[in-house]
Amino acid sequence: MSKILIIEDEEAIADLEKDYLELSGFEVEIEHRGDVGLKKALEGNYDLFILDLMLPEVDGFEICREIRNVKNNPVIMVSAKKDDIDKIRGLGLGADDYMTKPFSPSELVARVKAHLARYERLIGTGVQENDIIEIRGLKIDKTARRVWINGEEKNFTTKEFDLLTFLAQNPNRVFTKDELFKEIWAMESIGDIATVTVHIKKIREKIEFNTAKPQYIETIWGVGYRFKV
């Protein structure tokens, strides 16, 4: 549930805005003084702010300026003043929208929803993050198919990447060369398992500090390989 702070000195207007927004599923708080509203805006965790321009103690312009110094959440300014200069000033201070009183409460709700949806798209809310494996300086981005070792990106062929990822996803488990060949190359080894050894060698050259004493991919003599965690 998105949380909205209304800073409005006209109680009837603030209450009407609050009622309509709450009916639309938002959590709403109201402050009538500019100084108190500013403190609450800076200290609280709100998703959107609705600011009147003419407020006691601290006006909406100053509140918008202070909010923009520390937060990027949407700000909607409302005012009975119709002068373009006020609208230009408000938008110049970082407000996302400017509404002139009187306005329809349903229009306010529509604008609130639009600005919240736009903000969520910008910050990537709901966007699935890349699937990443990180182990002692080794970073494998499964989504982007990229590999870094201690911050330095390494280039991997398709099968090298698949083999490394498979082992890293199954740590501390020993796999025979036949099992790895079948898993990565999707067929029985038919005796040609040397390709697994070659690929392990190439992977080690890219991720191991000392290939003679590997810290990631261990050789289990007579059996196969294990990714050590």
Side-chain angles (χ1 to χ4, degrees), residues 177 181 191-200:
K177 294 177 183 179
F181 195 93
D192 186 16
I193 58 175
T195 187
V196 174
T197 304
V198 172
H199 278 73
I200 292 291

Side-chain angles (χ1 to χ4, degrees), residues 5-211:
L5 176 63
I6 297 174
I7 308 179
E8 167 66 69
D9 63 335
E10 296 186 53
E11 293 187 18
I13 292 177
D15 289 340
L16 182 62
E17 293 173 351
K18 183 175 187 288
D19 288 344
Y20 270 79
L21 288 166
E22 287 183 337
L23 285 171
S24 296
F26 297 105
E27 181 181 348
V28 183
E29 293 182 11
I30 296 174
E31 286 298 337
H32 300 296
R33 286 172 45 121
D35 54 344
V36 178
L38 174 58
K39 186 174 186 295
K40 201 164 189 176
L42 297 179
E43 296 178 355
N45 185 23
Y46 299 97
D47 298 290
L48 182 142
F49 304 94
I50 299 174
L51 309 177
D52 184 31
L53 282 188
M54 307 304 293
L55 293 164
E57 306 303 329
V58 180
D59 66 23
F61 290 124
E62 181 61 25
I63 294 174
C64 182
R65 181 185 293 109
E66 293 293 331
I67 288 175
R68 277 292 168 262
N69 285 336
V70 294
K71 298 185 177 185
N72 294 316
N73 302 82
V75 175
I76 298 177
M77 281 188 168
V78 298
S79 176
K81 300 176 71 174
K82 299 181 180 180
D83 297 338
D84 285 343
I85 189 65
D86 291 310
K87 182 175 182 179
I88 292 170
R89 184 184 175 192
L91 296 174
L93 288 171
D96 297 273
D97 206 345
Y98 188 103
M99 300 183 68
T100 303
K101 299 177 183 177
F103 51 78
S104 165
S106 58
E107 181 186 356
L108 175 65
V109 172
R111 294 199 187 194
V112 165
K113 289 181 178 179
H115 284 295
L116 284 173
R118 177 176 176 272
Y119 180 67
E120 289 173 357
R121 287 196 301 270
L122 287 174
I123 63 173
T125 298
V127 176
Q128 185 175 0
E129 295 183 354
N130 284 12
D131 190 355
I132 292 175
I133 301 171
E134 291 192 70
I135 303 170
R136 300 192 315 276
L138 174 65
K139 179 179 177 181
I140 304 170
D141 187 333
K142 293 172 58 183
T143 308
R145 295 184 67 86
R146 300 170 69 186
V147 178
W148 293 263
I149 184 70
N150 296 324
E152 180 182 354
E153 186 170 4
K154 301 290 185 177
N155 293 321
F156 278 71
T157 66
T158 298
K159 293 304 182 185
E160 288 171 359
F161 181 88
D162 291 343
L163 180 56
L164 173 63
T165 301
F166 177 74
L167 288 169
Q169 287 181 140
N170 297 277
N172 298 324
R173 178 180 168 184
V174 179
F175 292 94
T176 66
K177 294 177 183 179
D178 289 286
E179 288 173 329
L180 292 173
F181 195 93
K182 183 177 179 180
E183 180 67 35
I184 305 305
W185 281 265
M187 55 183 172
E188 297 294 344
S189 62
I190 319 175
D192 186 16
I193 58 175
T195 187
V196 174
T197 304
V198 172
H199 278 73
I200 292 291
K201 180 177 183 293
K202 290 180 178 179
I203 292 171
R204 282 174 171 164
E205 289 172 350
K206 295 174 182 180
I207 69 171
E208 300 287 2
F209 177 73
N210 182 353
T211 56

